[in-house]
Amino acid sequence: MRKTAKFILVLAVALVLMLCFRAVAFTICTVDGEALAPMFCKGDRLLVNRWSYGLRVGSDDGLIGYTRIGRQTVNRGDIVAFENPGNDDEVLIAQCQALPGDTVQWKGRKMVVPGTVNCAGRDHYWMVAIGNDTTIDSNTLGFISEELLIGRVTTIVYSHDPDEPFWKGWRHERTMQSL
């Protein structure tokens, strides 16, 4: 009986540590559309480093104000995971095209840097989908607040074509591919 209790305790502690590590340090996002092509394929599992721009601290109810511990700058060209401002449960992935203080200009439906208009307020970024322009990005959402940034996408952990059966469709050449 004691060995069973020890085993269950060790298993429970390991599970709690794993969940804490996942919530604080890294998370995995699945690409479920074609908007990030050709860089990412539908079915790619992407590793997002939650510490890349500093650890987000704060609460939705306003009890604890927003801040970042170990704040790091976002670089133009970074592939960033961020929360959809209209749906907290949805994670979007796009490339950072404009930083706070950049000047921007719209040419048709596309925004270019440098431009003639100052970028939106401090700590706001312009995120653009890598592939087609029928996706949700800054072209439809506007500037993205730093509070919504989850982290930088660092690696394709593994990839599986969702249209294939489980035992087929693995894209081994994309496994553990760093960006």
Side-chain angles (χ1 to χ4, degrees), residues 84-118:
N84 182 344
N87 179 359
D88 292 347
D89 296 331
E90 184 178 25
V91 174
L92 303 173
I93 297 171
Q95 187 172 34
C96 181
Q97 190 171 356
L99 307 171
D102 281 349
T103 55
V104 298
Q105 180 177 357
W106 278 264
K107 291 191 176 179
R109 292 187 64 224
K110 296 289 182 185
M111 192 267 310
V112 293
V113 178
T116 56
V117 180
N118 198 12

